[in-house]
Amino acid sequence: MSLPTFIAEELADAAVGHQVTLSGAEGRHAVTVKRIQAGEQVMLADGAGRFVTVTVTATEGKDTLHAHVDEVGEHPQPEPRVVVVQAIPKSERAELAVDLATQAGADEIIAWQAERCVAKWDAKKAPKALAKWQQAARAAAKQSRRARIPQVRGPLTTAELASELRSHNEAHAYVLHEDATTSIRDAELTGTVYLIVGPEGGIGASELAQLEATGARAVTLGPEVYRTASAAMVGLSAIGVLTSRW
């Protein structure tokens, strides 16, 4: 069974036999919420791939945990690296989309202000909304026992997204589209892959053409039409089966 996981950014100097302390918000989560006790094993991860397995030696107050390091390791960067470009869903589906994509293994998530997005992130709203996405990714990484937390950034307009795709012309970009005639199983899944998920209303023809002009290709995930919040998770699952990620 996998171990409860908590984020501890400073693990660079951790070594087998060392003592480590987890405190603050993560320590409170371990001690007060999860009620971790002395003698139990947990995993601490720095969010960038490095992790340690530890045995808890003592807890202190409501937010401090002391432990002995049993194992040190690093989860390698998966191949291919998958960047999810997520059109901003409305209300509660926004954080759900990030949660599901993180659980499925997204390496990076970009918020995309697509033309048909109902939700609009203006300059005032964007920092707070992006912080919520980042927190959702952090929580989902812990829940799914990931040692890597995906970077979350944006929002990008379609023009900005197209510019990024042109500047990363060695990457492969795929737009999930219900009318595509190419299946994701026929996609080139090496290096860096951009998985582009449109809004609930779908991607407009001119917007799709703008992305295709950069070299992006429209692909389908099968006969079903997925909600924008779940499409990235399904796409990542397909890529997992088709490559060495799984």
Side-chain angles (χ1 to χ4, degrees):
M1 180 179 291
S2 58
L3 299 174
T5 300
F6 304 95
I7 305 302
E9 280 84 357
E10 297 182 3
L11 293 177
D13 297 327
V16 173
H18 284 189
Q19 295 293 317
V20 294
T21 298
L22 183 69
S23 58
E26 289 295 297
R28 179 176 293 274
H29 187 211
V31 175
T32 302
V33 179
K34 302 297 288 186
R35 299 183 180 181
I36 300 297
Q37 301 290 324
E40 294 186 60
Q41 275 196 320
V42 301
M43 185 175 86
L44 306 181
D46 69 356
R50 186 174 175 81
F51 70 90
V52 297
T53 299
V54 303
T55 298
V56 179
T57 56
T59 61
E60 183 181 340
K62 296 182 178 181
D63 63 357
T64 303
L65 177 152
H66 303 286
H68 175 275
V69 177
D70 303 318
E71 177 190 6
V72 176
E74 185 160 351
H75 290 168
Q77 173 66 54
E79 168 67 30
R81 180 174 180 272
V82 181
V83 180
V84 171
V85 179
Q86 176 66 59
I88 301 170
K90 57 185 179 182
S91 60
E92 71 281 352
R93 290 180 184 165
E95 290 166 52
L96 175 61
V98 174
D99 182 290
L100 294 178
T102 301
Q103 288 186 53
D107 299 299
E108 184 175 352
I109 301 172
I110 300 174
W112 173 30
Q113 190 69 73
E115 293 174 1
R116 293 184 179 180
C117 286
V118 174
K120 303 295 182 184
W121 288 9
D122 57 24
K124 183 177 180 180
K125 181 184 290 187
K128 184 177 180 180
L130 186 63
K132 286 184 177 181
W133 280 37
Q134 291 167 337
Q135 182 55 40
R138 183 184 178 96
K142 289 166 57 178
Q143 186 276 331
S144 54
R145 312 298 196 254
R146 289 188 57 175
R148 293 180 179 273
I149 302 173
Q151 178 189 4
V152 182
R153 60 185 174 91
L156 299 185
T157 64
T158 302
E160 290 169 335
L161 174 58
S163 177
E164 173 160 334
L165 296 180
R166 281 192 294 269
S167 67
H168 293 79
N169 57 9
E170 77 287 354
H172 306 285
Y174 298 102
V175 183
L176 302 184
H177 199 287
E178 61 182 291
D179 293 331
T181 57
T182 299
S183 169
I184 195 169
R185 68 172 175 267
D186 299 317
E188 182 69 31
L189 302 174
T190 58
T192 297
V193 174
Y194 283 80
L195 194 65
I196 303 171
V197 181
E200 293 285 8
I203 300 173
S206 62
E207 197 168 31
L208 178 60
Q210 191 174 354
L211 295 176
E212 288 181 326
T214 70
R217 296 172 57 197
V219 297
T220 180
L221 292 177
E224 292 79 17
V225 177
Y226 300 98
R227 288 189 180 277
T228 188
S230 59
M233 186 179 204
V234 176
L236 282 157
S237 298
I239 292 172
V241 170
L242 293 167
T243 68
S244 62
R245 284 179 64 95
W246 281 16

